[in-house]
Amino acid sequence: MNIILLGPPGAGKGTQARKLVDERGMIQLSTGDMLREARTSGTEMGQKVAAIMDAGELVTDDIVIGLIEEKLAGDHGGGFIFDGFPRTLAQADALGDLLEKYGTGLHFVIAMEVNDDALVQRITARSTCGNCGEVYNDITKPIPADNKCTNCGASDFKRRADDNEESLRTRLMEYYKKTSPLIGYYHCKNQLQWIPGLGEIDEVAAQINAVLDD
Ligand code: ADP
Ligand code: ZN
């Protein structure tokens, strides 16, 4: 089973994807994580995308489609969770073609409904464990008092360079201009399922599981 998690920055796609990996053995394909890895390891591509990402703009379709294709050629595990991809109609078309090429398809597109005020609050309060990627929030899920990650015990917490108000405004505009048309695209293909994204992490997870088990 292959699914897309669709929603604006801060909707909780990454948090839910991690739960699906743990609970269902699915494979999370986050183009944002892949691009951040390319930056950290200092590849030529990573250097090229750094300024674009920090400003909150989208990198070119060619780059992210190439990253996804590499992964689809590998192990399919319990299915793929596309997180932060596709983000444009061209990427959506490319994904459809690639899945067909690798003899599989797309089963659900889960659109996470949230409001913009909640997004700003979530993103400006966000940090992650640099070792395992566990997501924390200053208000709703603070870093433990002993400064150790609840998941892996490491003490290396990071804030993303693009998690500031100005980049976030650009990211939201990019989402509404370029990504939100995918809602109509997948609705037309009868693949879209809305779920409320604002509840507790486990409540949202239960809604997603209900869709997948339907
Ligand atoms: P968010 O938390 O805002 O959803 P991600 O971690 O998915 O962000 O992505 C961070 C940045 O990486 C984006 O703002 C963009 O610059 C780039 N990026 C990630 N995925 C894509 C994509 N599919 N197409 C274009 N740019 C992307
Ligand atoms: Zn950790």
Side-chain angles (χ1 to χ4, degrees):
M1 181 158 63
N2 302 312
I3 67 169
I4 294 173
L5 296 180
L6 187 63
K13 304 182 294 286
T15 301
Q16 294 300 326
R18 288 171 61 82
K19 286 184 80 77
L20 291 167
V21 169
D22 289 347
E23 290 165 15
R24 294 181 176 251
M26 297 178 78
I27 298 174
Q28 177 186 10
L29 297 185
S30 159
T31 42
D33 287 350
M34 294 175 206
L35 292 167
R36 279 186 287 277
E37 263 166 46
R39 290 179 65 167
T40 313
S41 55
T43 65
E44 195 182 321
M45 183 270 279
Q47 288 169 2
K48 198 170 130 191
V49 299
I52 300 171
M53 292 177 72
D54 288 349
E57 291 160 18
L58 295 187
V59 310
T60 60
D61 290 335
D62 294 358
I63 290 179
V64 288
I65 292 167
L67 288 170
I68 289 286
E69 174 151 31
E70 276 173 34
K71 303 285 179 178
L72 295 188
D75 177 18
H76 287 212
F80 294 113
I81 309 156
F82 297 97
D83 160 14
F85 180 92
R87 257 181 163 88
T88 63
L89 291 167
Q91 291 176 24
D93 279 334
L95 177 61
D97 292 346
L98 283 172
L99 289 171
E100 199 180 316
K101 175 172 156 192
Y102 289 102
T104 177
L106 187 62
H107 302 90
F108 294 106
V109 177
I110 299 185
M112 302 175 69
E113 189 176 13
V114 284
N115 66 50
D116 290 353
D117 290 343
L119 299 178
V120 175
Q121 187 268 325
R122 280 185 180 184
I123 285 192
T124 52
R126 168 161 81 175
S127 56
T128 53
C129 171
N131 183 48
C132 76
E134 185 78 2
V135 182
Y136 292 87
N137 180 291
D138 299 339
I139 296 148
T140 57
K141 188 183 167 189
I143 292 167
D146 64 2
N147 205 40
K148 288 196 168 68
C149 173
T150 47
N151 187 48
C152 75
S155 299
D156 169 29
F157 299 100
K158 293 199 157 64
R159 286 194 196 263
R160 275 170 47 174
D162 60 348
D163 278 353
N164 62 73
E165 276 206 61
E166 200 192 335
S167 300
L168 179 57
R169 258 195 301 277
T170 308
R171 281 153 70 195
L172 278 174
M173 187 53 86
E174 291 282 71
Y175 174 78
Y176 286 112
K177 272 174 25 189
K178 298 175 184 165
T179 308
S180 70
L182 300 186
I183 290 169
Y185 178 95
Y186 288 117
H187 166 74
C188 248
K189 290 174 175 277
N190 260 325
Q191 287 173 313
L192 195 74
Q193 304 269 346
W194 279 105
I195 58 138
L198 272 186
E200 300 279 325
I201 291 174
D202 287 338
E203 285 166 20
V204 178
Q207 303 261 8
I208 293 176
N209 280 312
V211 170
L212 303 189
D213 293 332
D214 193 16

